[in-house]
Amino acid sequence: MSYKNYPMVSRVIFGRGSFNQLGDIIAPKRRNIKAPFIFLVDDVFKGNSWLTSRIPLAYQDKLIYVPTEEEPKTSQVDKLTEEIILSFNERPSGIIGVGGGTTMDLAKAVSIMLTNDGSAKDYQGWDLVKNPAIYHVGIPTISGTGAEVSRTTVLTGPERKLGINSDYTPFDQVILDPELTKDVPKEQWFFTGMDCYIHCIESLNGTFLNAFSKSYGEKALELCLEIFLENSLTAEEAQDKLMMASWHGGMSIAYSQVGVAHAMSYGLGYLLGTKHGIGNCIVFDHLEEYYPEGVKIFKDMKAKHDIELPQGLCADLSDAEFDIMIDVALSLEPLWENAIGKNWKKKVTREKLKSLYSKM
């Protein structure tokens, strides 16, 4: 049997205000004064000087605001990569992503595409990247996706929604500063936090589970239950703990896999553009058959925080549109195998998925 030789983030810094150390951290990585650092920043921070004034721009460094209304696309990665190549004679010293899961996925993907030919869509899948990425740093400003720690960058391409899963994807450096999450709107906080909670449930109930994933998944789950069901935490404690839950949740799927909610959420995301966190919640709400205990607790969390999920997303879809979503969901074979086992194809039929999607 061969075991996965899993790459991890090689350096991480945690603490309130640690964002202020960014300049000192990246300075030794500058190749020369003509090789810029490119800062990809979530455009929600446009005009937010509390954050942007602290970005340590020097020499020819460039700050690019990236729109995050929609899930990241392979075409967006290609456009950013081309913009960077055409703007500078030198290969950049590094890419720094500051924002939520979308921004971090874009930073990971662009750092890969600057050293690999072709289009980002050519690398959607497992272990297709040939050349190491350039130096890249992830700085999450919202917690839950696990994008800061995973070896995946999730992209919607012309044919599928699928991650670039490679040993070159993980960040070289991550800065975990819980203070950066203080202005996240409540609903977004909930949906992204639930992405982490669902990671844990899918990992801990999967057939790929082992002691490595279990130790991280159990810790992340314990933190999620404390954050979303108890009343004893201050706002700052909740921010700190959710940042740690996100890290541990991302690690728990590193050596296992996610499951049914993620597979079906990719279908919604591909066809309807549903954002990942909210898509996971919409799907998970209907998965009692697969995760009875997890869904029950999820409904309790939803009630406690007074969260209304969108209804009727699939009400007016044609059969052809259902087929597109089902094709995308079924293409994520490792997720189904983790959720249901090797003979999953006998149990997960197109009719079954259509009846589930019809409820959403």
Side-chain angles (χ1 to χ4, degrees), residues 237-274:
E237 284 171 338
Q239 290 157 11
D240 290 6
K241 283 174 185 273
L242 189 54
M243 198 158 251
M244 281 294 91
S246 180
W247 182 270
H248 283 75
M251 285 299 299
S252 77
I253 52 172
Y255 224 86
S256 64
Q257 202 31 283
V258 282
V260 180
H262 275 75
M264 294 190 71
S265 171
Y266 282 137
L268 289 178
Y270 180 79
L271 182 75
L272 304 173
T274 311

Side-chain angles (χ1 to χ4, degrees), residues 74-95:
T74 54
S75 55
Q76 192 180 4
V77 173
D78 294 343
K79 192 167 159 253
L80 278 168
T81 306
E82 186 179 23
E83 182 186 338
I84 292 164
I85 290 169
L86 295 176
S87 300
F88 302 98
N89 297 325
E90 289 263 347
R91 181 181 285 173
S93 293
I95 302 287

Side-chain angles (χ1 to χ4, degrees), residues 18 65 138 174 189 196 291 297 304-305 312:
S18 57
Y65 287 107
V174 169
W189 165 82
C196 175
Y291 309 108
I297 293 170
K304 181 172 170 61
H305 296 284

Side-chain angles (χ1 to χ4, degrees), residues 16-325:
R16 295 185 160 265
S18 57
F19 182 54
N20 294 336
Q21 288 172 243
L22 178 58
D24 294 339
I25 288 168
I26 64 177
K29 301 293 182 183
R30 189 182 292 279
R31 294 184 15 248
N32 61 60
I33 60 172
K34 289 187 179 152
F37 282 107
I38 311 291
F39 296 85
L40 301 181
V41 179
D42 190 325
D43 68 0
V44 75
F45 293 108
K46 237 183 211 167
N48 179 335
S49 60
W50 175 78
L51 184 130
T52 54
S53 65
R54 295 153 69 194
I55 291 175
L57 294 168
Y59 306 110
Q60 296 180 37
D61 295 349
K62 187 170 185 181
L63 192 162
I64 301 174
Y65 287 107
V66 292
T68 54
E69 272 305 295
E70 295 184 336
E71 295 285 276
K73 294 185 166 62
T74 54
S75 55
Q76 192 180 4
V77 173
D78 294 343
K79 192 167 159 253
L80 278 168
T81 306
E82 186 179 23
E83 182 186 338
I84 292 164
I85 290 169
L86 295 176
S87 300
F88 302 98
N89 297 325
E90 289 263 347
R91 181 181 285 173
S93 293
I95 302 287
I96 290 117
V98 184
T102 295
T103 312
M104 285 189 288
D105 279 345
L106 287 170
K108 290 194 281 194
V110 169
S111 68
I112 284 172
M113 292 315 301
L114 285 166
T115 56
N116 288 274
D117 294 336
S119 159
K121 70 175 168 34
D122 304 334
Y123 299 96
Q124 283 182 285
W126 277 265
D127 301 309
L128 301 172
V129 179
K130 303 281 184 289
N131 303 313
I134 68 168
Y135 177 74
H136 50 305
V137 179
I139 305 171
T141 59
I142 183 168
S143 299
T145 66
E148 65 278 13
V149 71
S150 79
R151 79 189 286 273
T152 304
T153 168
V154 179
L155 300 172
T156 303
E159 278 137 40
R160 53 190 177 268
K161 183 173 174 186
L162 188 60
I164 298 177
N165 290 273
S166 93
D167 281 357
Y168 301 123
T169 311
F171 287 112
D172 299 294
Q173 170 79 56
V174 169
I175 294 177
L176 298 176
D177 182 345
E179 201 174 54
L180 301 181
T181 67
K182 69 183 176 63
D183 296 325
V184 174
K186 177 186 147 184
E187 290 214 327
Q188 201 180 358
W189 165 82
F190 183 84
F191 294 138
T192 313
M194 286 302 103
D195 188 14
C196 175
Y197 170 72
I198 293 166
H199 281 161
C200 301
I201 298 298
E202 292 185 315
S203 169
L204 290 170
N205 289 282
T207 62
F208 293 179
L209 187 65
N210 53 58
F212 186 97
S213 5
K214 195 173 180 205
S215 60
Y216 284 104
E218 286 176 343
K219 187 64 201 172
L221 181 59
E222 178 192 315
L223 289 165
C224 285
L225 296 176
E226 201 179 334
I227 295 156
F228 291 101
L229 288 178
E230 291 182 19
N231 298 320
S232 56
L233 299 179
T234 66
E236 290 194 351
E237 284 171 338
Q239 290 157 11
D240 290 6
K241 283 174 185 273
L242 189 54
M243 198 158 251
M244 281 294 91
S246 180
W247 182 270
H248 283 75
M251 285 299 299
S252 77
I253 52 172
Y255 224 86
S256 64
Q257 202 31 283
V258 282
V260 180
H262 275 75
M264 294 190 71
S265 171
Y266 282 137
L268 289 178
Y270 180 79
L271 182 75
L272 304 173
T274 311
K275 291 281 277 191
H276 181 69
I278 193 166
N280 279 342
C281 289
I282 291 166
V283 176
F284 196 68
D285 210 35
H286 297 282
L287 298 184
E288 289 94 343
E289 182 183 337
Y290 301 101
Y291 309 108
E293 181 63 15
V295 173
K296 181 182 168 300
I297 293 170
F298 168 71
K299 289 183 190 285
D300 292 343
M301 292 172 171
K302 210 173 53 165
K304 181 172 170 61
H305 296 284
D306 207 19
I307 299 292
E308 291 285 327
L309 291 178
Q311 304 290 329
L313 258 70
C314 303
D316 302 317
L317 296 185
S318 67
D319 287 347
E321 287 172 315
F322 274 113
D323 281 339
I324 290 168
M325 290 199 300

Side-chain angles (χ1 to χ4, degrees), residues 207 260 289-290 330 336-337 339-356:
T207 62
V260 180
E289 182 183 337
Y290 301 101
L330 289 175
W336 292 104
E337 188 181 331
I340 289 157
K342 287 220 184 300
N343 62 347
W344 66 271
K345 287 182 182 171
K346 295 197 177 98
K347 297 179 182 174
V348 180
T349 62
R350 299 185 73 87
E351 296 72 41
K352 176 86 194 161
L353 293 192
K354 186 170 181 180
S355 79
L356 280 169

